Amino acid sequence: MALEVNVEKQAGSFHLHASFTCEKEFLGLLGASGSGKSMTLKCIAGIEKPDCGRIVLDGRVLFDSEQKINLPPRQRRVGYLFQNYALFPDMTARQNILCGLHAEKDRQKREKRADEIMELLQIRDVATLKPWQLSGGQAQRTALGRILVNEPELLMLDEPFAALDTHLRLKLQMELKDLLSGYDRGIIMVTHDRDEAFRMCDRIGVIDQGQMLAVKETRELFADPGSRAVASITGCKNIAYARKTGKHEVFVPEWNVYLKTEKTVRDELKAVGIRAHSFHPEEQENRFSVTIVREMEEPFEWVSEFVYEGQAPASPAVWWRYSKAFRLSEQPGALGVSTDEVLLLY
């Protein structure tokens, strides 16, 4: 399975330019609300028509502006799970799933396929219930079943956990990842939640204001976001202008510190980022005197803000997060950060 997307679409003052590929993998599209994530899925599904470009799935051209090709949604063999699941409220769970087989005229085949999908998704015991009687997880699996019975060549999930509370969201993420582990085709999931993207996806594409900023393997993206925008979208709290002072050294004027880096610093350096969890009172690399200026307690962590000795007065305090299991008897007078935790941003 292979999907190739390179399209552009203008919607008022908003300009989308989505360019990426998806193989047999779980690909995430990560970005803030209004960044163009859902519009990208709708272009692939045929719900929205791009202004120009090309979309190819397994060698089949779904859209090509130059060749005047624009297949209707029903011919694209793409499954689209909407954010609100879009179940028919007056139908049972089983009836909703059978709707996905409207093109199959053989009743026995329809019934058999529905049984297979409900067994796979473990929802046979709720077959006769209406959507309002289902739990969040049962509703999600019913909607997924309606898509999977039709054996789509590509599965797309649009913010599938957005409406759920935190506990249920994590539970369903684990369940869905297990259920789809044997799905031998591409999956694209839209999300604004970086933690969700990290847990679920093999690769992540970051979208900001309609532009695809980066597409990388998940761990690589978080370890080396590459730019200020990507670092911010992936949750880096501490980003500051920096300039190169050596092959493996930078100076950060706001913090008034020189930082050693593991990676070679390129001449076009714009800034550095340090994630809040990267600081440690026992780390000897990039270790400087600090003063804690504010603290906030969370259920399992402490969040502190500190300033470096000699830090520019008007500059924002630096964030530090650490586990309560490592709560210190007194505040440290210095913190260090490993050279491999200094993010070079261009």
Side-chain angles (χ1 to χ4, degrees), residues 52-342:
C52 63
R54 183 176 165 88
I55 303 172
V56 182
L57 176 61
D58 276 347
R60 290 191 306 120
V61 179
L62 307 186
F63 175 80
D64 190 309
S65 57
E66 291 188 0
Q67 298 184 46
K68 310 292 185 188
I69 296 173
N70 184 28
L71 296 186
R74 65 182 179 277
Q75 293 182 15
R76 296 197 177 201
R77 297 195 56 77
V78 170
Y80 193 142
L81 180 65
F82 292 92
Q83 186 177 135
N84 62 0
Y85 307 145
L87 294 172
F88 297 110
D90 295 329
M91 293 184 178
T92 65
R94 183 181 184 83
Q95 289 169 336
N96 265 281
I97 289 175
L98 284 168
C99 283
L101 290 165
H102 58 85
E104 176 57 67
K105 303 307 179 185
D106 188 312
R107 182 175 178 179
Q108 283 190 324
K109 290 182 179 179
R110 282 164 51 88
E111 297 292 339
K112 181 182 178 182
R113 182 59 180 154
D115 286 339
E116 291 172 348
I117 287 296
M118 295 190 80
E119 184 69 33
L120 172 68
L121 299 178
Q122 301 172 21
I123 49 174
R124 293 196 68 169
D125 56 339
V126 299
T128 60
L129 300 185
K130 301 286 182 67
W132 63 270
Q133 296 173 303
L134 302 174
S135 69
Q138 291 165 345
Q140 185 187 75
R141 281 178 277 168
T142 299
L144 189 61
R146 187 174 62 189
I147 294 170
L148 294 181
V149 288
N150 209 29
E151 300 182 347
E153 295 175 11
L154 173 71
L155 178 61
M156 301 192 298
L157 314 175
D158 193 350
E159 297 273 12
F161 310 104
L164 306 175
D165 62 65
T166 303
H167 170 72
L168 183 58
R169 187 184 306 135
L170 182 57
K171 180 176 183 293
L172 291 189
Q173 286 170 5
M174 296 171 69
E175 289 180 359
L176 184 62
K177 190 167 185 178
D178 284 343
L179 284 170
L180 295 177
S181 62
Y183 186 72
D184 194 30
R185 293 167 188 177
I187 303 169
I188 302 177
M189 182 182 75
V190 155
T191 180
H192 64 273
D193 186 326
R194 69 179 187 278
D195 295 336
E196 182 173 290
F198 187 91
R199 285 190 289 263
M200 300 289 292
C201 303
D202 302 310
R203 288 195 305 145
I204 297 174
V206 178
I207 300 181
D208 185 44
Q209 299 180 32
Q211 305 303 303
M212 188 72 72
L213 302 182
V215 183
K216 291 185 179 182
E217 186 274 330
T218 297
R219 291 185 179 277
E220 179 188 354
L221 181 74
F222 279 77
D224 185 17
S227 71
R228 291 186 74 127
V230 176
S232 179
I233 292 170
T234 57
C236 184
K237 298 294 186 185
N238 306 306
I239 301 174
Y241 164 78
R243 64 173 183 264
K244 177 180 179 179
T245 53
K247 186 177 180 180
H248 292 279
E249 183 187 76
V250 300
F251 177 64
V252 186
E254 286 184 29
W255 301 340
N256 195 32
V257 295
Y258 288 87
L259 297 174
K260 300 294 184 183
T261 69
E262 180 178 87
K263 290 185 171 65
T264 300
V265 184
R266 303 203 309 265
D267 292 340
E268 62 269 29
L269 180 77
K270 300 294 185 185
V272 294
I274 301 178
R275 299 194 184 276
H277 290 95
S278 296
F279 298 100
H280 199 283
E282 295 180 3
E283 177 61 61
Q284 298 304 306
E285 293 180 319
N286 294 317
R287 183 180 181 83
F288 303 99
S289 297
V290 301
T291 300
I292 306 294
V293 295
R294 190 179 294 112
E295 278 192 310
M296 182 171 64
E297 183 179 10
E298 294 185 342
F300 307 106
E301 289 185 313
W302 282 95
V303 181
S304 295
E305 289 185 305
F306 68 83
V307 293
Y308 284 109
E309 183 179 351
Q311 182 169 333
S315 62
V318 184
W319 283 54
W320 172 36
R321 277 185 179 270
Y322 61 97
S323 169
K324 281 187 174 179
F326 301 102
R327 178 65 171 166
L328 306 171
S329 57
E330 60 183 34
Q331 294 291 359
L335 290 171
V337 58
S338 175
T339 58
D340 62 353
E341 297 281 3
V342 178

